[in-house]
C-alpha cells in the first residue's frame, strides 16, 4: 500500500542528526522552555520573516492563545471557515467566542473574499484566516478588509509552513500567525507542537504569558485565560534539525504535484489549480463526485487516500442544534467530493507513477 504519509521513511535521512539532538537535550537536563526552545524560536521566526516566534504545545493551542492574546473572549464573534477540520472552531469555542462561518471559494477551497467583506460588516472581534491544504488564502486583501473594519486578523497556518507570495510568508499577514508541528505537517515534530509568530512586541509578550498560566514571572498571574502550553525542548531540538531541510522537502512535494497535474487525465477527477510558491502542498486534494467509489478503487490498487475533511464544522453532531440555520453550500459540496492523494517527500517516482495509473484506470 502506498501510504498517504510514511513518517518512518520521512525521518530516515535525518536519523543520525535527530539522535544526536535528542542526546544533547537529555544530557542538558533541561526539557521545557530551555536553550533548545529559544534557539528554535529564533530560527523559526527568521524562516518566516517575523520578529517573534513563541513555541506552544500544539497547533490548536496556538490558535486559542493567539485569539486570547488578541483580546477575543466571551461572546465575541470570530469569522472563520467550516471546511478545515474543526480546529479553529474548537479554539474559538474554548475562548467563549462564537464562530461566524463564511463559505469558501470552490476553486481554491479557501475563504471567499467577497463573503468575508460582508461578514466583517457585522462587527466581529476577529477574523481567523485558514490557509487550507497549504495554499495561501487571499491574506493581503483580507488584512486590508480587516484593518478597514478595525477587526484583528489571525492566520491559521497549520498546513501552510513554507508558503509565500512575493517573498512574504504565511503567518506574517495577520497580527498573529499560528502553526502546527504535528508529525505529518511540512515541518513536523516527533510528537505534538505548535508556534505563534508576530511582529508586534506587546502581542508577543501576551502570548509568552498566556502559554504559561498567564505568568509574567514565576507564580505571578498577570494575564487571565492562561494555559499550560509549552513546546518542550525535545521537540524543539527535533524541529531545529528538520527546519533546514524543509525547503527541499516542499520542493519535492511540488515535483510530485506537477507530475499528478500533468499525468492524471481522468475527466472524472478534478485536479487542483497550481499555486506556485503560494502553495506549500501539505496535501494534494482532488475532487470527484464519486469520491467514495474512487477511494475504494484506489485502495484496491494499493493506494491509500484520506478525506480532509468529511464533516464541515457546522454539521458536526456536537453542534447540530447550535448551527442548524447555517447554510454553506460550497463547503458542504466540497465535503462530499474532496479526496487526498499521497504526496509526501518520501515517495518514490515509481509510486507516483502508480498513483497516476490507478487514477486513470478509475471508471466511476
Amino acid at each position: 500500500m502506498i501510504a498517504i504519509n510514511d513518517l518512518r521513511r520521512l525521518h530516515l535521512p535525518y536519523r543520525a542528526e535527530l539522535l544526536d539532538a535528542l542526546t544533547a537535550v537529555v544530557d542538558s537536563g533541561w526539557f521545557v522552555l530551555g536553550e533548545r526552545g529559544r534557539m528554535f524560536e529564533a530560527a523559526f521566526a527568521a524562516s518566516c520573516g517575523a520578529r517573534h516566534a513563541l513555541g506552544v504545545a500544539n497547533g490548536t493551542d496556538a490558535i486559542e492563545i493567539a485569539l486570547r492574546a488578541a483580546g477575543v473572549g466571551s461572546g465575541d464573534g470570530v469569522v472563520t471557515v467550516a471546511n478545515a477540520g474543526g480546529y479553529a472552531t474548537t479554539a474559538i469555542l474554548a475562548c467563549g467566542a462564537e464562530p461566524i462561518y463564511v463559505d469558501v471559494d470552490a476553486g481554491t477551497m479557501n475563504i471567499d473574499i467577497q463573503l468575508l467583506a460582508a461578514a466583517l460588516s457585522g462587527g466581529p472581534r476577529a477574523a481567523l484566516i485558514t490557509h487550507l491544504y497549504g495554499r495561501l488564502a487571499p491574506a493581503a486583501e483580507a488584512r486590508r478588509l480587516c484593518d478597514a473594519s478595525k477587526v484583528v486578523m489571525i492566520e491559521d497556518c497549520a498546513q501552510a509552513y513554507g508558503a509565500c507570495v512575493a517573498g512574504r510568508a504565511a503567518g506574517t499577514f495577520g497580527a498573529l500567525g499560528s502553526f502546527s508541528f504535528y508529525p505529518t505537517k511540512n515541518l513536523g515534530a516527533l510528537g505534538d507542537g505548535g508556534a505563534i509568530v508576530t511582529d508586534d512586541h506587546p502581542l508577543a509578550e501576551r502570548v509568552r504569558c498566556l502559554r504559561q498560566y498567564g505568568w509574567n514571572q514565576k507564580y505571578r498571574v498577570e494575564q487571565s485565560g492562561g494555559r499550560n502550553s509549552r513546546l518542550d525542548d525535545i521537540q524543539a531540538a527535533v524541529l531545529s534539525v528538520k527546519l533546514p531541510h524543509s525547503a527541499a522537502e516542499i520542493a519535492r512535494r511540488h515535483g510530485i504535484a506537477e507530475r499528478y497535474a500533468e499525468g492524471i487525465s481522468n475527466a472524472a477527477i478534478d485536479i487542483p489549480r497550481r499555486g506556485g510558491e503560494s502553495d506549500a502542498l501539505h496535501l494534494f486534494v482532488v475532487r470527484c463526485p464519486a469520491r467514495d467509489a474512487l477511494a475504494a478503487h484506489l485502495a484496491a490498487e494499493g493506494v491509500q487516500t484520506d478525506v480532509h475533511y468529511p464533516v464541515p464544522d457546522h454539521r458536526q453532531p456536537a453542534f447540530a442544534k447550535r448551527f442548524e440555520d447555517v447554510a454553506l453550500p460550497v463547503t458542504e459540496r466540497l465535503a462530499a467530493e474532496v479526496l487526498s492523494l499521497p504526496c509526501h517527500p518520501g515517495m518514490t517516482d515509481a509510486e507516483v507513477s502508480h498513483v497516476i495509473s490507478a487514477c486513470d484506470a478509475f471508471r466511476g
Side-chain angles (χ1 to χ4, degrees):
M1 182 70 72
I2 298 173
I4 191 79
N5 273 300
D6 189 333
L7 296 179
R8 286 176 297 181
R9 192 187 297 185
L10 285 175
H11 289 102
L12 276 177
Y14 322 128
R15 189 174 188 275
E17 288 180 82
L18 289 169
L19 290 175
D20 287 346
L22 295 174
T23 300
V25 176
V26 171
D27 289 347
S28 77
W30 197 312
F31 306 112
V32 179
L33 296 183
E35 183 62 24
R36 272 76 182 175
R38 289 189 290 273
M39 289 171 62
F40 171 70
E41 288 175 341
F44 186 72
S47 76
C48 294
R51 290 192 179 94
H52 305 278
L54 292 306
V56 296
N58 56 70
T60 307
D61 280 4
I63 300 172
E64 181 186 340
I65 291 170
L67 288 167
R68 291 185 183 278
V72 173
S74 180
D76 288 333
V78 179
V79 177
T80 191
V81 292
N83 68 329
Y87 312 109
T89 295
T90 297
I92 292 166
L93 294 176
C95 294
E98 186 72 11
I100 301 170
Y101 295 118
V102 169
D103 215 344
V104 297
D105 176 85
T108 66
M109 295 183 271
N110 278 320
I111 195 164
D112 185 316
I113 198 71
Q114 301 303 321
L115 296 177
L116 171 62
L120 293 174
S121 67
R125 182 62 180 264
L128 182 57
I129 306 299
T130 297
H131 305 301
L132 191 64
Y133 307 145
R135 181 191 291 265
L136 282 183
E141 188 174 356
R143 180 62 187 266
R144 286 193 294 271
L145 291 171
C146 287
D147 286 351
S149 298
K150 296 182 170 52
V151 171
V152 64
M153 176 175 140
I154 297 166
E155 293 173 77
D156 170 10
C157 310
Q159 300 180 355
Y161 176 70
C164 64
V165 60
R168 190 170 181 182
T172 63
F173 293 88
L176 301 125
S178 64
F179 290 83
S180 170
F181 303 130
Y182 187 75
T184 60
K185 296 296 191 284
N186 287 21
L187 179 61
L190 297 183
D192 251 323
I196 298 164
V197 301
T198 184
D199 283 339
D200 186 293
H201 182 71
L203 282 176
E205 290 307 303
R206 284 182 61 82
V207 169
R208 199 182 305 279
C209 287
L210 288 166
R211 72 175 176 179
Q212 186 168 229
Y213 313 115
W215 289 353
N216 66 338
Q217 57 182 276
K218 196 172 184 180
Y219 305 135
R220 181 182 175 87
V221 177
E222 177 74 15
Q223 304 285 344
S224 63
R227 299 288 309 279
N228 176 12
S229 182
R230 300 167 293 198
L231 180 68
D232 66 71
D233 277 38
I234 289 283
Q235 301 306 336
V238 167
L239 292 163
S240 293
V241 167
K242 296 182 69 178
L243 184 63
H245 302 287
S246 60
E249 291 193 344
I250 292 170
R252 174 58 179 162
R253 291 176 185 270
H254 274 274
I256 294 167
E258 287 173 9
R259 287 198 58 200
Y260 283 162
E262 294 169 359
I264 298 174
S265 57
N266 193 327
I269 302 173
D270 183 45
I271 302 299
R273 304 172 192 168
R274 298 193 195 188
E277 67 174 4
S278 67
D279 192 346
L281 278 161
H282 171 60
L283 294 168
F284 188 89
V285 180
V286 301
R287 292 174 59 187
C288 179
R291 188 263 310 284
D292 294 343
L294 174 59
H297 163 79
L298 291 174
E301 293 290 323
V303 177
Q304 185 184 39
T305 60
D306 205 346
V307 178
H308 298 94
Y309 298 92
V311 184
D313 296 14
H314 67 302
R315 294 291 178 252
Q316 290 288 353
F319 312 136
K321 298 291 185 184
R322 188 169 191 164
F323 303 119
E324 61 185 347
D325 294 331
V326 174
L328 304 170
V330 177
T331 294
E332 290 160 20
R333 184 171 74 251
L334 290 172
E337 295 181 356
V338 293
L339 187 70
S340 299
L341 302 182
C343 184
H344 62 80
M347 290 184 74
T348 66
D349 289 342
E351 288 173 330
V352 176
S353 295
H354 182 77
V355 174
I356 292 169
S357 298
C359 285
D360 282 345
F362 174 62
R363 299 293 179 265

